[in-house]
Amino acid sequence: MAERTLSIIKPDAVARNLIGEILRCFEVAGLKIVAARLVRLSLEQARAFYAVHKDRPFYGSLTEYMSSGPILVSVLEGEGAIQKNREIMGATDPAQAAPATIRRRWGTDVEKNAVHGSDAPETAAWEIAFFFKPDEIQSAHK
Ligand code: UDP
Ligand code: MG
């Protein structure tokens, strides 16, 4: 069964005109973009989205950064989409990410690492619903 995951192109990557190149990586890997929208999060919205990290030392800086400019939110669909997207993204710290991954190619540092991707089916469902209504997502287009 095809799986869905939430992707975010973060403010640093949007500002550097990398939307097209990053979406291309998903398409080349066989993931379908079944929803997409450019949004600007308020600080409160960024704090809600990253609430799972509220006790981490980087929470304040991360949520300020994620609300600092427009982001491109999208839903990616395909076989094993969650894990596939995590592999295409690379490790959280761009310096540790494998060659040719998005974070290695375009990440700036461990915070400004170009992209977000859901890490499990439960978080994917919650994160997709955070940004998209069901009728804003197109079912598997060929
Ligand atoms: N982050 C950070 N410092 C850290 C770890 C994470 O600023 O030491 C930021 C980074 O932007 C990361 C986000 O917090 O993408 C969420 O962290 P997580 O551990 O969930 O990493 P991810 O799932 O994004 O790889
Ligand atoms: Mg994470």
Side-chain angles (χ1 to χ4, degrees), residues 10 50 53 56 58 62 65 86 89-92 103 110-113 115-117 119:
K10 296 184 177 185
Y50 279 111
H53 293 307
R56 307 290 291 279
F58 56 81
L62 171 64
Y65 157 60
R86 296 290 305 192
M89 289 165 57
T92 306
R103 284 168 162 174
V110 69
E111 178 182 84
K112 295 173 180 58
N113 55 6
V115 282
H116 167 87
D119 61 6

Side-chain angles (χ1 to χ4, degrees), residues 60-125:
S61 179
L62 171 64
T63 53
E64 280 180 27
Y65 157 60
M66 288 300 292
S67 58
S68 68
I71 59 175
L72 193 288
V73 293
S74 66
V75 179
L76 309 178
E77 184 176 270
E79 287 295 322
I82 295 169
Q83 185 56 31
K84 188 179 274 190
N85 182 42
R86 296 290 305 192
E87 287 166 14
I88 297 165
M89 289 165 57
T92 306
D93 182 352
Q96 307 295 325
T101 59
I102 292 170
R103 284 168 162 174
R104 178 65 168 264
R105 292 174 77 184
W106 296 303
T108 301
D109 57 39
V110 69
E111 178 182 84
K112 295 173 180 58
N113 55 6
V115 282
H116 167 87
S118 308
D119 61 6
E122 304 72 38
T123 48

